Amino acid sequence: MNRRSSWAIPYFIFMLIFVVLPLVMIMLYAFKDSNGSFSFSNIATFFQQKEAVNTLIYSIEIAIITTLLCLVIGYPAAYILSRKDLNRSAVTIVLFIMPMWINILVRTLATVALFDFGKIPLGEGALIFGMVYNFLPYMVYPIYNTLNKLDNSYVEAAQDLGANPIQQFVRVIIPLSKPGISSGVLMVFMPTISTFAISELLTMNKVKLFGTTIQENINNGLWNYGSALSLIMLVLIGVTTLLSYSGKGDEQSAGGLL
Amino acid sequence: MKENCIIKIENICKNYDGVQVLDNINLEIQKGEFVTILGPSGCGKTTLLRILSGFVKADSGKIILEGEEISNVPPYKRNLNTVFQKYALFPHLDVYDNVAFGLKLKKMPVDEIDKKVSKALKMVTMSDYEDRDVNSLSGGQQQRVAIARALVNRPQILLLDEPLSALDLKMRKDMQLELKEMHKKLGITFIYVTHDQEEALTLSDTIVVMNYGKIQQIGTPTDIYNEPQNSFVADFIGESNILDATMVRDREVNFVGHTFECVDEGFGENVPVDVVIRPEDIYMTSKIESAQISAVVKSSIFKGVHYEMFVETENGYELMIQDYNSFEIGSEVGLIIKPCDIQVMRKERTCNEFEGEIVDSTTVEFLGAEFEIAETDLEPGTKVRVEIDFDKVDLLDDKDDGAFTGVVNFILYKGNHYHLTIINEDRECIYANTNDVWDKSDMVGVKILPQDIRIFKAEGDE
């Protein structure tokens, strides 16, 4: 082994202990029953329990709504930030990114306090608000990145060929910023589908998300069933990631974060 | 001719951060013409093209397209199409969709789009590439698609922004011929921007030479080559000998110590002028007694068709000559120049002139710097006109020794000295004659001795 590749050893060990080993453990636990023998019973139990399946579907719904809201709010924001004629200072970009500097739990607790202060009841609405608020920067930043690097000559070429501002936007700017969009969508969708802290705090435990279900099972000592649920979620996230990658194709993915 | 004018550019001016990029441009272009805007980089040619396409707004002036003012019409409503320097083909669309982009926006029926796209691709010999990803094409192929994408919309004028600059020499030559062929066939007006003088001479019906944001000369390629109007044009287009001369009287001009017969009139008597003689227009002979002047051959290089020789005349002028016959280095030869081959040009300037202000009895301020002068009795604050001869401007290697620093912007060899244009930070020019060799964009310190600064009280000033 040469000198350079030996530099990778610490990372390799780290990955082994903290990424590969836990994954293997989840797999092992998920396919074992309480007696320790191999079985599919945990997975089967999940699909038989209507409540758990409904929670998963509900979590996906909330994640999709959050992601779409982030996209609808985040894209125009990123567009404005990237336009030199509309935004001349880097300060506005920092302001958009700054919430990321503060711990997610602290931010959520502050949101709860705000809602209390305004006498707004906590619940589903508060949950979606909190999620959008927390994850918006993850949508804005990758889109801003691609738009910022987008060669203005493409927009000029579209104008030159007769595209009005709306047509330029729909036919050139949006398609060319796709890598940023898919990065942003992934970075918002993945954490929102598995979150439990935000939902607990912002709904006073009234609304249950899939993350909460997993956490409850593990806390109650049902390690095998909890692992099976984690595995299902992992597969779900894996499939979404793969889908968004194939959508990206071999086009220039400049500026995307993933 | 008037009704044939397709686009008229009137008094266009443009400033970028206080720098005058375009200075009062006036131009009329005829329908079906192939016009080339030619100039070195930074001369304002691309800005002018972008004003035509609408991406840049002029500070003042008008653009009139077929009798209608379009100065304030956005680019997408102008019936002009551009071939961009770096093609700007849409990377998310294939060749077909790139070419069809403009037609689809016009909501044309699909079968008609189909017909037009395949016709356009056939014209640029790219028919087999319809489904190809544009990123998989070579530079030349991308260029062809870019041309097809612009032409398929049948614009009134096609604007081309240095479209061939990214191609290699062989490809460039082929594309030049093809462009010329397309222009002939389609009858669309082409406005072509380039810094390549050979390309301009090959392609154009009319060449517009630009420098420092101004039009230097408009004419056919032969006009521009044979009768350049100033030393910049003469130097920029082709090889040339540019020399200081004196117009003795009508049809007689004196340079390199000899009075030659010429065909120019109306300059006056004993007026300093510049003359241009193309290297192929000086005839060499070994019979010195029958020649006008004699010279010694200093160098000779075989260039394929001809020899390129440098000769030195008796009084120290160096001339470039192209001849089919080679003369031995060191041999004495006679030179003959025909009257019609001498192009006489009015001098743009005979000395440096600046507006300045007296600071105190021994200091004057101009070009953003202070200079020592011979004692004056003019009051401090008086506006003055300052004159300095070209050969009294000293250029120094050490920037700190000069009154101000500048950058060598343009070098003109005049046979026995160099005429340099030096630009200071505020883009003001000072001209200097020197025998030292400087390179373009060298930083120099500029020094002028007190006795060489001539001061005149500005007129109309109290």
Side-chain angles (χ1 to χ4, degrees):
Chain A
M1 191 183 284
N2 67 37
R3 234 172 67 91
R4 288 241 175 130
S5 59
S6 65
W7 294 354
I9 291 176
Y11 299 99
F12 183 73
I13 295 172
F14 178 89
M15 298 281 271
L16 201 68
I17 298 175
F18 293 102
V19 180
V20 179
L21 203 64
L23 278 175
V24 174
M25 298 286 279
I26 287 176
M27 293 281 274
L28 286 177
Y29 273 100
F31 291 108
K32 265 186 198 164
D33 58 19
S34 44
N35 307 321
S37 53
F38 179 84
S39 89
F40 285 103
S41 62
N42 294 319
I43 311 273
T45 318
F46 166 73
F47 285 105
Q48 279 152 15
Q49 279 193 346
K50 217 166 169 220
E51 199 209 327
V53 176
N54 282 344
T55 312
L56 178 62
I57 292 168
Y58 182 69
S59 294
I60 296 172
E61 266 171 36
I62 292 284
I64 289 174
I65 291 170
T66 307
T67 311
L68 284 179
L69 277 174
C70 280
L71 185 62
V72 169
I73 300 167
Y75 197 99
Y79 181 70
I80 291 165
L81 288 177
S82 72
R83 286 275 300 261
K84 308 271 177 309
D85 50 338
L86 297 178
N87 169 48
R88 274 160 208 234
S89 84
V91 177
T92 35
I93 298 157
V94 174
L95 278 176
F96 260 90
I97 306 301
M98 213 154 67
M100 288 161 103
W101 299 0
I102 300 155
N103 180 282
I104 191 165
L105 287 177
V106 177
R107 265 184 291 162
T108 309
L109 284 169
T111 317
V112 173
L114 260 179
F115 271 69
D116 282 345
F117 181 77
K119 305 247 180 333
I120 304 164
L122 296 171
E124 198 184 68
L127 171 65
I128 291 174
F129 175 87
M131 300 244 260
V132 170
Y133 167 59
N134 268 309
F135 294 111
L136 188 62
Y138 296 92
M139 183 64 85
V140 173
Y141 195 66
I143 297 177
Y144 164 75
N145 241 351
T146 26
L147 286 176
N148 207 24
K149 283 179 194 152
L150 193 135
D151 190 342
N152 197 44
S153 66
Y154 296 131
V155 184
E156 283 186 354
Q159 268 184 74
D160 189 75
L161 293 166
N164 63 34
I166 294 167
Q167 289 167 324
Q168 290 158 32
F169 193 73
V170 173
R171 286 173 185 256
V172 175
I173 297 176
I174 289 183
L176 287 180
S177 56
K178 257 188 198 153
I181 296 174
S182 54
S183 280
V185 165
L186 270 183
M187 292 193 55
V188 173
F189 186 77
M190 287 195 304
T192 46
I193 201 168
S194 58
T195 183
F196 62 91
I198 297 176
S199 66
E200 280 179 21
L201 289 171
L202 278 173
T203 65
M204 312 284 283
N205 267 337
K206 270 183 261 168
V207 175
K208 204 163 146 194
L209 292 186
F210 199 57
T212 320
T213 315
I214 299 174
Q215 187 227 9
E216 278 172 4
N217 280 300
I218 304 266
N219 275 356
N220 294 338
L222 296 170
W223 286 69
N224 295 335
Y225 185 51
S227 296
L229 296 183
S230 301
L231 190 65
I232 289 164
M233 200 170 70
L234 261 176
V235 170
L236 195 74
I237 291 173
V239 169
T240 358
T241 314
L242 280 179
L243 278 180
S244 76
Y245 264 103
S246 65
K248 214 187 280 184
D250 53 357
E251 274 162 32
Q252 37 161 220
S253 43
L257 277 185
L258 287 169
Chain B
M1 282 304 262
K2 198 94 200 184
E3 67 268 28
N4 254 336
C5 166
I6 186 159
I7 196 163
K8 203 166 157 193
I9 298 161
E10 272 183 7
N11 309 320
I12 290 285
C13 292
K14 179 74 192 170
N15 263 287
Y16 275 127
D17 301 326
V19 177
Q20 187 92 12
V21 188
L22 292 176
D23 186 2
N24 203 19
I25 300 285
N26 282 289
L27 187 61
E28 248 178 64
I29 289 167
Q30 309 302 320
K31 202 171 253 171
E33 224 180 343
F34 196 129
V35 178
T36 301
I37 303 172
L38 174 67
S41 56
C43 74
K45 57 189 191 300
T46 299
T47 308
L48 181 59
L49 194 80
R50 289 174 64 81
I51 286 174
L52 291 181
S53 55
F55 299 130
V56 172
K57 241 190 161 101
D59 296 339
S60 61
K62 281 185 200 164
I63 310 248
I64 296 158
L65 179 66
E66 294 208 311
E68 230 173 281
E69 191 182 340
I70 57 161
S71 316
N72 292 314
V73 175
Y76 59 89
K77 284 188 187 154
R78 297 187 185 191
N79 193 9
L80 311 171
N81 285 113
T82 309
V83 177
F84 292 86
Q85 190 170 6
K86 286 181 204 128
Y87 322 137
L89 295 176
F90 303 120
H92 60 292
L93 301 176
D94 63 13
V95 170
Y96 179 93
D97 285 330
N98 261 285
V99 178
F101 193 91
L103 301 177
K104 281 183 182 167
L105 289 172
K106 285 182 194 143
K107 305 260 182 305
M108 208 172 263
V110 182
D111 49 333
E112 202 172 327
I113 292 179
D114 238 15
K115 230 186 286 168
K116 290 200 168 190
V117 171
S118 44
K119 205 174 140 202
L121 284 173
K122 198 175 164 201
M123 186 175 61
V124 295
T125 62
M126 289 289 290
S127 293
D128 300 336
Y129 293 85
E130 278 190 9
D131 303 325
R132 285 280 284 275
D133 187 2
V134 290
N135 292 318
S136 69
L137 302 179
S138 71
Q141 291 168 332
Q142 290 192 20
Q143 184 57 265
R144 286 160 194 272
V145 177
I147 292 169
R149 182 177 71 173
L151 283 176
V152 81
N153 301 295
R154 288 278 153 174
Q156 283 163 293
I157 300 177
L158 183 71
L159 307 170
L160 302 108
D161 183 10
E162 307 215 19
L164 308 183
S165 60
L167 304 180
D168 62 55
L169 187 69
K170 178 85 175 54
M171 187 83 99
R172 200 153 64 218
K173 299 263 176 211
D174 292 348
M175 281 304 287
Q176 283 175 11
L177 291 178
E178 278 182 49
L179 273 176
K180 194 152 178 128
E181 204 53 41
M182 268 180 235
H183 172 253
K184 237 190 260 166
K185 217 160 42 187
L186 296 169
I188 293 174
T189 311
F190 279 38
I191 302 179
Y192 191 100
V193 161
T194 184
H195 62 265
D196 184 337
Q197 45 107 0
E198 203 200 316
E199 205 163 275
L201 292 172
T202 314
L203 291 170
S204 329
D205 298 325
T206 304
I207 298 179
V208 179
V209 186
M210 281 184 69
N211 197 26
Y212 299 127
K214 285 194 183 114
I215 293 180
Q216 304 288 327
Q217 187 170 356
I218 304 174
T220 63
T222 25
D223 281 350
I224 299 262
Y225 187 83
N226 290 333
E227 284 159 41
Q229 267 164 20
N230 59 42
S231 52
F232 171 79
V233 178
D235 181 70
F236 193 70
I237 315 261
E239 305 279 5
S240 54
N241 295 292
I242 302 169
L243 303 161
D244 285 331
T246 310
M247 201 70 192
V248 183
R249 60 179 71 84
D250 279 355
R251 293 169 179 272
E252 261 179 50
V253 63
N254 181 293
F255 57 93
V256 297
H258 181 89
T259 301
F260 291 85
E261 216 182 296
C262 67
V263 293
D264 298 84
E265 297 177 351
F267 284 86
E269 285 187 17
N270 290 316
V271 177
V273 290
D274 282 326
V275 294
V276 179
I277 302 138
R278 296 293 178 186
E280 67 271 20
D281 290 339
I282 304 177
Y283 298 92
M284 295 173 91
T285 166
S286 46
K287 295 190 198 103
I288 295 156
E289 55 286 359
S290 64
Q292 288 163 307
I293 49 172
S294 69
V296 175
V297 179
K298 288 284 168 190
S299 72
S300 172
I301 300 164
F302 182 55
K303 288 271 183 176
V305 180
H306 60 260
Y307 290 88
E308 187 174 286
M309 283 166 279
F310 282 94
V311 302
E312 197 179 305
T313 64
E314 290 159 347
N315 35 21
Y317 283 90
E318 198 181 44
L319 298 173
M320 182 202 253
I321 303 176
Q322 289 169 355
D323 203 298
Y324 297 122
N325 305 306
S326 175
F327 290 82
E328 219 171 294
I329 293 169
S331 64
E332 210 180 343
V333 291
L335 305 179
I336 302 163
I337 306 168
K338 283 197 219 155
C340 60
D341 289 335
I342 299 171
Q343 164 68 12
V344 180
M345 305 180 301
R346 217 170 279 280
K347 271 195 184 295
E348 288 143 84
R349 61 197 97 80
T350 48
C351 72
N352 285 298
E353 272 186 60
F354 305 106
E355 283 167 13
E357 194 180 313
I358 299 288
V359 179
D360 58 42
S361 64
T362 57
T363 323
V364 66
E365 191 249 303
F366 60 90
L367 283 177
E370 289 189 353
F371 293 85
E372 208 182 307
I373 47 166
E375 187 115 15
T376 172
D377 41 14
L378 290 169
E379 287 291 313
T382 316
K383 301 268 185 250
V384 289
R385 184 162 56 85
V386 181
E387 280 186 14
I388 305 136
D389 288 331
F390 298 136
D391 51 359
K392 296 294 198 278
V393 178
D394 277 338
L395 303 180
L396 308 164
D397 263 323
D398 196 341
K399 295 179 282 261
D400 300 330
D401 284 353
F404 69 91
T405 50
V407 175
V408 178
N409 185 268
F410 180 59
I411 304 168
L412 197 63
Y413 185 57
K414 290 218 155 166
N416 65 347
H417 67 270
Y418 294 94
H419 184 69
L420 267 52
T421 307
I422 292 134
I423 285 192
N424 73 359
E425 282 172 359
D426 300 326
R427 304 244 322 172
E428 291 169 304
C429 298
I430 184 166
Y431 304 93
N433 283 349
T434 174
N435 287 316
D436 302 329
V437 178
W438 297 92
D439 285 322
K440 205 180 160 177
S441 45
D442 276 349
M443 288 278 276
V444 291
V446 177
K447 193 177 144 192
I448 304 158
L449 294 175
Q451 66 268 26
D452 296 328
I453 300 178
R454 295 196 295 273
I455 290 189
F456 305 89
K457 200 166 171 206
E459 287 136 35
D461 198 87
E462 289 305 300

